Amino acid sequence: MLDSQGKHSLADVVPFQGIRYDSERFSDLSDLICPPYDVISPQEQLSYHDRSPHNVIRVEFGLERPDDSPHDNRYTRAATTLQSWLRQGILIQEDRPALYLVEHRFAYQDSQKSRFSMVARVRLEDFGSGWVRPHEVTIGRAGEDRLRLMRACNANTSPIMALYRHRGEGVLPLFREARGRAVYQAVDRDGVGLSVSVVTDEGAIARVRDFFADKTFYIADGHHRYETALAFRREKRIGWSCKPEPVDYVMMTLTDADDPSLVMAPTHRVLRGLDDRRLPLLKHELDAYFDHEILPPSPDADATLEDWLATLEQRGERQTSFGLYGLDGRSLRLLTLRQKPAPLDEPGSLSSLDVYVLHRSIFHQLLGITTREMAEVCLDYTRDARGALAQVDSGECQLAFLLNPTLVSTMLAVADEGNRMPQKSTYFYPKTPTGLVMNPLWDD
């Protein structure tokens, strides 16, 4: 719907004729799916290529070759593969517009969880509209990669994850009996079970469109993909038209922000390439802003890490806290913020967010690392706390920073304030894998 200035006054969530694996040939997609490209390591990239000749990695994140050229590269090969699989019937395009209901089943902290999300097309809006709100900064390199893939394939290969707020049961009651008609199943690399239902019922689709008409969407995962979709629309759109086209939409997985099975995991940081002379100085400089507690290791490495993370969680409930490994031998230095440095003396939810304090006060101010250096040279991210410590012990990295997960409520507050956290401040688990459905951007 358009207002008097020609802008969209309501969110627009619509079905689409998705591209998916032929469920009559592939009822189990476990060997055909892969994670979103930005959480695939080089080793995993090879592994998914070896898993099946029809694994979607060949479209989502193909291998580079020494003889790649402007006319033959992983982007052109992705497009060729997509069209070839459609011709062969490995992939099919839905014969009528559909919504896709996805159930994630997984174990977390000794309990079994189930989370329903819905994959749909969502009308693209510039961030200034307020209908779609980001929460993280992005770097250009990943965005350029996704834009080249979108140009080649003319499709969204993986969905953006977005959250919405709603008091009640969310979208599931809108589908009534649809949740029992799964067209295929899968188990991802983390053991998460997935079921996908295809919903073409016009009544259910109308209820969904009405349900989302007044909702705001918060990008939880896929900022690069959203910005890429905006750039692609600008390239394809010539002039203004009130008639929406496929390029005006992007594929999203929509999840209730209050779903109790929505899990946020921490993303830890490791640093390399620092001048060794800076490390003794850092100890003293930290004392100006942080209180610290030295947590020694015990003979049991697993118990040590478990205790450290539990202590970090307890401190984080009361104060801005994170753990620093690498300055005190095999002990962890637990840092809690005592006094905000000048760059952090600002209002809003960011100023006390642990990952923001870490980046602004330690990375930028005390270590003098620029944003570009962090992105290209010295900073890596990992969900594996044990692996982060091991990288320091081996000498591969110099420092590791252990973090608590960001609260969903904090992420929403930052987005509502129009601010952005550092890159990879959030990790929502589990992610919707690539390969369940793709969104064609050619005319339906």
Side-chain angles (χ1 to χ4, degrees):
M1 183 180 298
L2 304 179
D3 63 18
S4 59
Q5 283 76 45
K7 296 181 179 180
H8 301 289
S9 58
L10 296 175
D12 193 9
V13 175
V14 300
F16 64 105
Q17 292 176 243
I19 295 171
R20 59 181 176 85
Y21 286 99
D22 183 354
S23 56
E24 294 186 3
R25 299 176 62 173
F26 308 102
S27 59
D28 186 338
L29 302 189
S30 301
D31 289 334
L32 306 180
I33 59 175
C34 73
Y37 77 102
D38 57 341
V39 294
I40 300 175
S41 70
Q43 296 78 17
E44 289 171 330
Q45 187 186 24
L46 292 171
S47 173
Y48 283 110
H49 274 84
D50 292 339
R51 184 167 295 186
S52 167
H54 298 137
N55 190 285
V56 75
I57 191 75
R58 287 167 172 77
V59 177
E60 171 77 349
F61 196 21
L63 295 171
E64 294 182 338
R65 298 174 182 171
D67 60 346
D68 276 354
S69 70
H71 306 292
D72 183 10
N73 52 63
R74 64 188 182 97
Y75 306 106
T76 61
R77 290 190 291 271
T80 299
T81 298
L82 178 61
Q83 294 302 321
S84 174
W85 286 356
L86 282 167
R87 288 194 300 271
Q88 297 173 52
I90 295 166
L91 296 174
I92 59 172
Q93 184 172 7
E94 220 71 62
D95 59 4
R96 53 179 170 158
L99 299 171
Y100 299 85
L101 191 63
V102 181
E103 181 186 13
H104 296 79
R105 301 178 302 278
F106 58 103
Y108 184 74
Q109 295 183 343
D110 301 324
S111 66
Q112 293 296 318
K113 293 184 176 292
S114 174
R115 189 182 83 213
F116 281 90
S117 301
M118 187 193 73
V119 181
R121 273 181 179 170
V122 176
R123 181 118 185 189
L124 286 163
E125 297 284 352
D126 292 329
F127 289 140
S129 73
W131 286 105
V132 178
R133 299 179 184 177
H135 77 275
E136 283 187 350
V137 299
T138 57
I139 56 174
R141 185 169 50 187
E144 293 168 6
D145 165 72
R146 292 297 95 182
L147 184 55
R148 292 184 66 182
L149 181 65
M150 188 178 292
R151 286 170 178 158
C153 294
N154 200 23
N156 301 142
T157 56
S158 60
I160 294 162
M161 181 181 182
L163 306 183
Y164 63 90
R165 284 170 163 155
H166 175 70
R167 293 182 180 178
E169 296 183 82
V171 300
L172 194 57
L174 306 178
F175 291 100
R176 295 174 182 162
E177 300 175 0
R179 61 182 291 186
R181 300 197 299 271
V183 294
Y184 39 65
Q185 311 281 338
V187 178
D188 73 7
R189 65 177 181 181
D190 296 322
V192 177
L194 297 136
S195 299
V196 181
S197 302
V198 180
V199 180
T200 57
D201 178 74
E202 293 182 358
I205 290 171
R207 291 191 295 272
V208 166
R209 296 195 69 177
D210 290 341
F211 175 85
F212 282 110
D214 63 347
K215 300 294 185 291
T216 296
F217 298 117
Y218 299 83
I219 298 180
D221 183 54
H223 288 76
H224 283 116
R225 279 166 277 168
Y226 193 87
E227 292 174 350
T228 296
L230 289 172
F232 190 69
R233 181 185 65 175
R234 289 192 294 269
E235 289 183 357
K236 293 293 185 179
R237 266 292 194 183
I238 301 175
W240 183 87
S241 171
C242 62
K243 180 183 177 182
E245 298 177 5
V247 74
D248 294 315
Y249 294 85
V250 69
M251 182 171 60
M252 283 189 177
T253 301
L254 303 175
T255 302
D256 188 343
D258 293 322
D259 191 318
S261 294
L262 180 63
V263 173
M264 185 90 84
T267 302
H268 311 294
R269 269 76 170 146
V270 292
L271 284 178
R272 61 169 63 85
L274 302 174
D275 186 337
D276 286 333
R277 293 172 295 183
R278 290 288 300 123
L279 300 185
L281 294 174
L282 181 61
K283 277 189 179 183
H284 300 292
E285 293 167 339
L286 287 170
D287 289 339
Y289 305 111
F290 296 91
D291 293 322
H292 73 266
E293 178 182 352
I294 303 299
L295 305 181
S298 67
D300 187 332
D302 288 340
T304 294
L305 181 58
E306 186 176 333
D307 290 343
W308 285 355
L309 293 175
T311 303
L312 177 60
E313 181 181 5
Q314 292 171 0
R315 298 293 188 278
E317 291 174 354
R318 303 191 302 270
Q319 296 170 281
T320 302
S321 306
F322 40 82
L324 169 55
Y325 186 78
L327 286 185
D328 305 284
R330 296 296 179 96
S331 296
L332 183 75
R333 178 176 289 238
L334 184 60
L335 299 171
T336 55
L337 184 65
R338 182 179 68 252
Q339 175 184 340
K340 294 180 181 180
L344 299 176
D345 189 17
E346 56 188 59
S349 303
L350 273 180
S351 63
S352 58
L353 180 65
D354 53 3
V355 66
Y356 182 76
V357 171
L358 171 61
H359 278 244
R360 289 294 300 274
S361 65
I362 297 182
F363 293 170
H364 287 302
Q365 184 171 355
L366 299 185
L367 292 174
I369 305 171
T370 67
T371 300
R372 181 175 180 179
E373 287 172 334
M374 282 196 293
E376 299 180 359
V377 181
C378 62
L379 179 62
D380 277 333
Y381 308 88
T382 179
R383 288 177 54 211
D384 182 5
R386 182 176 290 102
L389 304 184
Q391 289 184 66
V392 175
D393 291 338
S394 69
E396 180 182 351
C397 294
Q398 293 160 290
L399 299 175
F401 294 86
L402 303 186
L403 294 162
N404 286 313
T406 301
L407 298 177
V408 175
S409 58
T410 301
M411 170 249 170
L412 297 174
V414 169
D416 285 338
E417 293 162 2
N419 292 319
R420 295 210 197 187
M421 303 176 187
Q423 187 186 23
K424 297 187 183 298
S425 294
T426 59
Y427 190 102
F428 288 90
Y429 178 83
K431 296 179 182 289
T432 300
T434 303
L436 300 183
V437 64
M438 289 182 272
N439 176 34
L441 298 175
W442 52 81
D443 290 336
D444 295 332

